């Protein structure tokens, strides 16, 4: 099996173990265009064409693995090709076809995933994977508007433990509540990624993360959620956590050569 799809299956198992993937919660897409040989690429469609709902010119000739809509991460972990599918973007860049292995309709969040891949290719980014998941503690933060203000959560989360800034150097972008699966949510997600975030919070819903591969996207979310857990554990002990000082954070940035 394609290496990137094996990695998706591994990450899907972690999402379930973490309690971030109730029922069919969350979805993953990976751009596998470079991993498919010519034979695979020329396979006839087994279903489609289906409309994406958007025209995405940079996706011409691209292939993706996508989790199936309504499918469980815990099932995908065991059987990735029965709970997800390989899709080919049609030449009009507005439709896709399913080419393998089975007719599994892709995730309802396909507009967000594919628009983000389109944006990443247009920018010349090496990122190939996008992850949407429901991390409990990060979602809990978004139930208060103070945490939705730009970079409020980023600053607190970075200050909980030094590794957060080192391994999630762009912090956590914020998108106000919008209907799951909508084109508006896709547009707002791209705008936030363009504002230089790899991990975007969807208010009262979940996160959307991008990185070179799915393991790295998962790691960024895991690091941020760990910081949220430390914040909440401190509050549960009865104190407002001190957080690392601005000087300590600046020292981290310098030592790790971080962008902000
Ligand atoms: P899908 O089962 O369609 O991927 O939806 C899950 C989800 O988390 C929607 O936001
Ligand atoms: Zn969701």
């Amino acid at each position: 099996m394609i290496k990137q799809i094996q990695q998706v299956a591994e990450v899907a198992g972690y999402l379930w173990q973490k309690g971030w993937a109730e029922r069919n919660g969350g979805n993953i897409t990976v751009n596998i265009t470079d991993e498919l040989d010519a034979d695979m690429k020329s396979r006839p469609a087994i279903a489609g064409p289906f409309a994406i709902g958007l025209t995405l010119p940079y996706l011409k000739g691209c292939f993706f693995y996508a989790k199936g809509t309504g499918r469980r991460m815990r099932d995908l972990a065991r059987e990735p090709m029965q709970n997800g599918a390989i899709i080919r973007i049609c030449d009009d860049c507005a439709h896709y076809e399913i080419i393998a292995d089975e007719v599994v309709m892709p995730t309802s969040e396909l507009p967000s995933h594919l628009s983000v891949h389109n944006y990443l290719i247009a920018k010349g980014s090496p990122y190939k994977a996008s992850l949407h998941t429901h991390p409990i503690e990060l979602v809990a933060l978004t139930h208060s508007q103070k945490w939705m203000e730009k970079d409020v959560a980023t600053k607190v989360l970075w200050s909980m433990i030094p590794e957060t800034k080192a391994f999630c150097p762009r912090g956590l972008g914020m998108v106000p509540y919008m209907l799951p699966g909508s084109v508006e949510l896709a547009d707002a997600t791209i705008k936030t990624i363009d504002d230089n975030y790899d991990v975007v919070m969807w208010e009262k819903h979940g996160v959307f993360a991008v990185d070179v591969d799915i393991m790295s996207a998962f790691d960024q979310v895991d690091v941020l959620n760990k910081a949220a857990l430390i914040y909440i554990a401190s509050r549960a002990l009865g104190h407002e956590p001190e957080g690392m000082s601005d000087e300590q954070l600046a020292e981290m940035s310098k030592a790790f050569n971080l962008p902000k």
Side-chain angles (χ1 to χ4, degrees):
M1 195 194 302
I2 294 167
K3 208 171 138 238
Q4 285 193 77
I5 300 180
Q6 265 172 354
Q7 213 182 57
V8 168
E10 186 181 340
V11 166
Y14 299 155
L15 298 175
W16 166 248
Q17 286 159 15
K18 287 199 156 279
W20 298 354
E22 72 290 350
R23 200 174 182 273
N24 62 311
N27 29 74
I28 291 173
T29 59
V30 280
N31 183 343
I32 54 169
T33 313
D34 295 341
E35 285 204 50
L36 298 183
D37 59 26
D39 269 3
M40 187 70 188
K41 284 185 175 170
S42 59
R43 271 199 189 195
I46 55 171
F50 303 103
I52 301 170
L54 293 151
T55 303
L56 301 166
Y58 288 93
L59 296 191
K60 195 170 183 164
C62 284
F63 294 76
F64 295 90
Y65 170 84
K67 191 205 87 154
T69 186
R71 301 304 174 114
R72 298 178 181 87
M73 287 293 181
R74 64 179 189 266
D75 292 337
L76 193 155
R78 281 179 289 108
E79 296 183 313
M81 297 315 296
Q82 279 71 53
N83 294 284
I86 297 177
I87 63 170
R88 171 171 53 220
I89 306 300
C90 299
D91 283 347
D92 68 0
C93 297
H95 292 80
Y96 66 90
E97 304 172 318
I98 300 174
I99 64 158
D101 279 353
E102 296 176 9
V103 180
V104 176
M105 290 306 289
T107 170
S108 57
E109 302 287 2
L110 201 67
S112 285
H113 282 267
L114 291 185
S115 327
V116 166
H117 285 291
N118 185 67
Y119 164 85
L120 292 171
I121 294 169
K123 281 216 88 167
S125 165
Y127 287 10
K128 300 265 189 242
S130 59
L131 164 69
H132 163 59
T133 187
H134 302 165
I136 302 162
E137 290 76 15
L138 287 175
V139 175
L141 292 184
T142 71
H143 283 265
S144 160
Q145 285 308 309
K146 93 165 195 209
W147 290 96
M148 290 304 298
E149 280 167 34
K150 187 174 163 69
D151 289 336
V152 168
T154 298
K155 187 131 191 286
V156 172
L157 296 174
W158 276 352
S159 78
M160 287 298 101
I161 174 170
E163 278 82 350
T164 314
K165 191 167 189 191
F167 299 124
C168 191
R170 295 185 170 144
L172 184 62
M174 294 293 176
V175 167
Y177 183 84
M178 287 175 202
L179 186 71
S182 62
V183 170
E184 291 71 30
L185 181 58
D187 288 345
T189 304
I190 289 179
K191 251 177 106 183
T192 312
I193 291 173
D194 193 48
D195 198 17
N196 211 16
Y197 295 96
D198 286 342
V199 187
V200 176
M201 197 75 227
W202 290 348
E203 181 185 336
K204 302 183 182 99
H205 180 175
V207 297
F208 192 97
V210 288
D211 212 318
V212 286
D213 56 30
I214 200 65
M215 196 64 77
S216 306
F218 168 76
D219 280 338
Q220 291 213 51
V221 180
D222 194 24
V223 162
L224 286 169
N225 200 67
K226 172 70 172 271
L229 273 163
I230 293 169
Y231 176 83
I232 291 163
S234 293
R235 294 294 305 257
L237 284 170
H239 58 259
E240 178 70 29
E242 283 174 8
M244 294 160 59
S245 66
D246 289 348
E247 292 71 31
Q248 288 165 338
L249 284 166
E251 183 189 40
M252 272 303 292
S253 299
K254 213 170 150 212
F256 283 78
N257 216 0
L258 304 174
K260 8 184 187 180

